[in-house]
Amino acid sequence: MTEIRWRSFRDSWTDHLGRVWTRLKPRQLSAREARPFALRESTLVALESTDPDLAWLELPARREFWATRAESGHRFSRWRADTGELLLMITEEC
């Protein structure tokens, strides 16, 4: 069995486009704190699960996520890329 190497537990990681993401403080956000970032078009949002590939959420999918699933078993963290982009990482708790 392969061990899952959760990106959200690292201080930095590199995505499929070669962008290096570094964690911002605070380390974790509540769903309420994360919501404004998730609904901003300028912020990238990715869902991390047991699948090794991230699910990158477009704005309609983010709205649906917040309406139906945000409060149940997720961790939220913010990241900045070496290119200046901001990311909200949603990690599913297993």
Side-chain angles (χ1 to χ4, degrees):
M1 186 164 78
T2 309
E3 180 182 341
I4 299 169
R5 298 195 61 214
W6 297 98
R7 292 169 189 89
S8 58
F9 287 108
R10 303 177 197 171
D11 290 326
S12 66
W13 55 278
T14 304
D15 71 10
H16 65 289
L17 299 175
R19 295 175 290 201
V20 177
W21 294 94
T22 305
R23 179 189 300 279
L24 297 175
K25 295 192 187 267
R27 289 187 66 83
Q28 299 293 321
L29 302 171
S30 68
R32 183 177 180 200
E33 293 168 327
R35 186 177 190 276
F37 298 109
L39 300 180
R40 256 186 226 159
E41 283 193 59
S42 61
T43 302
L44 298 172
V45 177
L47 180 62
E48 180 180 41
S49 66
T50 56
D51 185 327
D53 295 324
L54 292 174
W56 296 87
L57 304 180
E58 298 296 329
L59 196 54
R62 298 178 207 179
R63 288 184 181 124
E64 180 183 339
F65 176 88
W66 240 264
T68 60
R69 297 174 35 201
E71 295 294 332
S72 60
H74 296 89
R75 289 189 316 273
F76 304 92
S77 55
R78 290 189 325 142
W79 302 77
R80 181 178 302 278
D82 56 350
T83 56
E85 296 160 294
L86 291 174
L87 166 71
L88 177 69
M89 173 91 67
I90 304 168
T91 303
E92 291 184 334
E93 295 181 341
C94 298

